[in-house]
């Protein structure tokens, strides 16, 4: 698995995987072939090593992973990672490192610039969250109705097309805000041609805004608007993301977003048609099923792929939408997923970890999922701001008491990889995961 240490047997599998890639990449496998016949870690390692050639970009980690190692508490893991950073000159892409919406900590999500940054940081898998426009064209957006906070739409003439055009904040005579500024703008409000006119920005809004231009602000202080200028923030269609990812030599994990509009949309566009359209774009582009991990929070979508496009369905990922531990599936429910043909689950990071005093340990959910034979991907690291402030929110809710400094992020990775054996980790700053995976031979 992506999360296990490389052994002699794994090295042999890498050689076999390289041969498999060379023969099978020429076209799609038939839907009766088994995409997991070659172990995913072996195939991924081979692909990661080969992926530095396309577009001529070597993996560039920047200072952050080394900053995190410097901040770690003294111990064996810190010694190992320090030795790696001192001796290793070249880092390679790895499918253990998954670019969450690209490199969304610093670059506007789901933009060309964000994807390129993630690939340069060694992400071996990139994500396009998939939704549709008014004319049923697939585009990369985290939510069908997030255009008001992730693009400049409210400051353009397309604001008038929004489900709810921009409304300014209201204040009483004492200057206290009585109503926050708001807008709801959906991809289904506009055509693809109109979508292409927009520019991406950091996901944020200013609740005190009196003008559309002010509403575009509100970026968290640990992020930046440096890469959201008038000539950057390039939005992408789903098909364009596929072409870019192919040129980068990375694998792909599209997430079929739950529509915000009623389905069927516009009369006859059903949820199943939407799910099939997404897979069809990979087939049309000649992307081998082993390079695609389709995701959804809807079990109906996942089971549709398992049933109707079984080769792609073998790597379909069922995303867990639990907000608390109490909402996580039981052992019997996990067994049910496996029995229905689901092979991979993807819960938020808090679901997999717990605190035992100062130690970070696997959760009962993690143990149960592995016990029933489910592979695991998790989300999302580098999305919680400064860790040492002790208030790290959603992703750390089950083990925050064991997190005391920025370097504890490496401990989180170590438990996910070594103790649980996850296939991969989504991160808003993939360089951190890439560094760890390279040092551990993942």
């Amino acid at each position: 698995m992506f999360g296990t240490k490389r052994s002699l047997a794994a090295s042999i599998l890498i050689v076999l995987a390289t041969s498999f890639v060379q023969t099978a990449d020429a076209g799609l496998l038939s839907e009766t072939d088994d995409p997991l016949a070659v172990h995913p870690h072996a195939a991924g390692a081979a692909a990661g090593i080969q992926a530095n050639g396309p577009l001529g970009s070597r993996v560039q980690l920047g200072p952050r992973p080394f900053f995190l190692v410097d901040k770690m508490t003294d111990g064996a893991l810190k010694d190992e990672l320090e030795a790696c950073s001192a001796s290793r000159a070249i880092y390679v892409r790895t499918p253990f490192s998954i670019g969450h919406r690209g490199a969304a900590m610093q670059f506007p999500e789901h933009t060309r610039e964000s994807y390129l940054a993630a690939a340069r940081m060694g992400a071996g898998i990139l994500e396009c969250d998939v939704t549709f426009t008014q004319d049923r064209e697939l585009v990369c957006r985290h939510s069908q109705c997030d255009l008001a906070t992730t693009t400049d739409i409210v400051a353009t003439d397309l604001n008038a097309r929004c489900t709810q055009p921009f409304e300014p904040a209201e204040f009483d005579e004492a200057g206290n805000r009585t109503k926050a500024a708001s807008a709801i703008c959906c991809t289904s409000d506009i055509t693809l041609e109109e979508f292409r006119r927009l520019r991406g920005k950091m996901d944020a809004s200013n609740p005190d805004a009196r003008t559309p231009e002010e509403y575009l602000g509100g970026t968290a202080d640990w992020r930046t608007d440096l890469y959201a200028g008038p000539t950057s923030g390039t939005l992408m269609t789903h098909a364009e993301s596929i072409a870019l990812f192919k040129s980068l030599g990375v694998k792909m994990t599209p997430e079929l977003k739950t529509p915000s509009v009623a389905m069927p949309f516009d009369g006859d566009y059903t949820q199943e048609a939407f799910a099939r359209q997404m897979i069809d774009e990979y087939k049309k582009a000649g992307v081998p099923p082993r390079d695609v991990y389709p995701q959804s929070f809807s079990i109906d979508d996942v089971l549709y792929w398992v049933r109707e496009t079984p080769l792609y369905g073998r790597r379909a990922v069922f995303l867990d939408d639990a907000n608390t531990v109490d909402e996580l599936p039981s052992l019997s429910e996990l067994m049910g997923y496996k029995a229905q043909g689901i092979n991979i689950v993807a819960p938020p990071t808090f679901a997999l970890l717990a605190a035992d005093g100062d130690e970070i340990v696997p959760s009962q959910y993690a143990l149960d999922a592995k016990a029933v034979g489910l592979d695991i991907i998790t989300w999302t690291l580098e999305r919680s701001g400064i860790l040492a402030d002790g208030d790290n929110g959603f992703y750390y809710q089950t083990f925050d008491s064991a997190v005391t400094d920025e370097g504890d992020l490496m401990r989180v990775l170590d438990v996910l990889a070594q103790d649980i054996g996850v296939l991969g980790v989504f991160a808003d700053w993939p360089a951190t995961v890439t560094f760890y995976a390279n040092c551990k031979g993942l």
Side-chain angles (χ1 to χ4, degrees):
M1 294 210 252
F2 295 150
T4 58
K5 294 183 178 179
R6 181 173 299 168
S7 63
L8 177 59
S11 299
I12 294 171
L13 281 173
I14 290 171
V15 175
L16 294 174
T18 304
S19 174
F20 182 76
V21 168
Q22 290 170 345
T23 57
D25 273 354
L28 290 177
L29 298 173
S30 73
E31 292 206 349
T32 59
D33 290 330
D34 183 357
L36 301 181
V38 176
H39 198 285
H41 176 48
I49 292 169
Q50 296 168 355
N52 294 300
L55 296 192
S57 61
R58 279 192 183 278
V59 169
Q60 303 166 6
L61 297 182
R64 181 161 178 79
F66 308 99
F67 162 81
L68 294 173
V69 173
D70 287 344
K71 296 301 180 183
M72 292 178 68
T73 302
D74 290 342
L77 180 59
K78 181 175 183 177
D79 291 344
E80 181 181 359
L81 296 179
E82 282 183 331
C84 174
S85 65
S87 62
R88 193 176 187 97
I90 296 175
Y91 296 86
V92 299
R93 288 187 190 149
T94 166
F96 188 79
S97 178
I98 307 174
H100 182 239
R101 314 181 199 176
M105 185 167 74
Q106 299 286 287
F107 289 80
E109 62 188 46
H110 295 308
T111 61
R112 177 180 173 85
E113 293 81 3
S114 187
Y115 291 141
L116 289 173
R120 286 168 178 150
M121 283 188 261
I125 303 177
L126 296 179
E127 178 189 44
C128 167
D129 289 331
V130 182
T131 187
F132 55 85
T133 61
Q134 188 179 81
D135 46 353
R136 305 183 188 182
E137 297 293 334
L138 302 186
V139 295
C140 299
R141 286 291 89 200
H142 179 247
S143 168
Q144 189 169 49
C145 294
D146 72 0
L147 295 181
T149 60
T150 65
T151 76
D152 61 351
I153 190 170
V154 298
T156 75
D157 62 338
L158 293 175
N159 176 60
R161 301 282 302 281
C162 290
T163 296
Q164 179 204 302
F166 169 74
E167 295 181 357
E170 297 177 3
F171 300 84
D172 62 21
E173 293 181 357
N176 300 308
R177 189 181 74 211
T178 58
K179 180 183 177 182
S182 62
I184 301 174
C185 302
C186 308
T187 57
S188 52
D189 291 334
I190 59 177
T191 65
L192 176 60
E193 181 181 357
E194 291 166 335
F195 176 83
R196 292 185 185 280
R197 290 165 47 191
L198 303 177
R199 310 302 297 182
K201 72 176 194 69
M202 297 303 288
D203 186 8
S205 62
N206 177 5
D208 294 328
R210 299 173 188 267
T211 68
E213 289 72 22
E214 289 179 349
Y215 189 72
L216 301 181
T219 301
D221 59 10
W222 48 273
R223 290 180 166 166
T224 180
D225 292 317
L226 188 62
Y227 303 109
T231 60
S232 56
T234 307
L235 302 190
M236 303 198 75
T237 68
H238 178 235
E240 288 168 345
S241 78
I242 293 172
L244 177 62
F245 298 168
K246 285 181 68 177
S247 73
L248 292 168
V250 300
K251 296 180 185 292
M252 312 171 195
T253 184
E255 181 190 333
L256 195 76
K257 301 305 296 188
T258 301
S260 299
V261 296
M263 300 294 279
F265 174 72
D266 195 25
D268 61 350
Y269 188 54
T270 65
Q271 182 67 26
E272 288 190 349
F274 178 31
R276 182 79 197 202
Q277 182 182 3
M278 189 184 84
I279 298 299
D280 283 347
E281 293 201 348
Y282 290 94
K283 291 184 175 183
K284 182 178 180 180
V287 180
R290 73 177 158 275
D291 289 344
V292 184
Y293 294 81
Q295 314 170 75
S296 179
F297 281 103
S298 167
I299 195 169
D300 290 338
D301 292 338
V302 175
L303 294 179
Y304 174 81
W305 294 322
V306 169
R307 182 179 68 252
E308 301 296 332
T309 60
L311 196 54
Y312 289 92
R314 288 281 287 151
R315 289 197 173 187
V317 180
F318 183 29
L319 296 161
D320 196 307
D321 63 356
N323 288 307
T324 65
V325 172
D326 290 342
E327 296 177 2
L328 290 171
S330 64
L331 174 60
S332 62
E333 288 174 299
L334 293 172
M335 292 174 66
Y337 298 163
K338 186 67 176 177
Q340 293 179 86
I342 295 172
N343 293 311
I344 307 172
V345 292
T349 303
F350 82 80
L352 298 176
L353 301 176
D356 182 4
D358 294 334
E359 297 299 314
I360 301 171
V361 298
S363 70
Q364 188 60 50
Y365 171 96
L367 299 175
D368 288 346
K370 299 305 292 185
V372 303
L374 289 166
D375 284 321
I376 302 170
I377 293 171
T378 191
W379 46 279
T380 306
L381 292 189
E382 298 283 33
R383 197 167 177 81
S384 302
I386 297 172
L387 300 183
D389 61 8
D391 183 20
N392 299 308
F394 176 77
Y395 295 103
Y396 287 76
Q397 61 184 279
T398 52
F399 60 99
D400 212 355
S401 61
V403 175
T404 58
D405 59 50
E406 303 309 307
D408 283 332
L409 185 57
M410 291 300 179
R411 285 204 295 143
V412 170
L413 273 170
D414 199 52
V415 176
L416 291 171
Q418 307 302 325
D419 297 341
I420 299 173
V422 300
L423 293 180
V425 178
F426 279 94
D428 276 15
W429 202 244
T432 300
V433 181
T434 301
F435 168 79
Y436 174 87
N438 271 255
C439 288
K440 287 290 191 174
L442 304 183

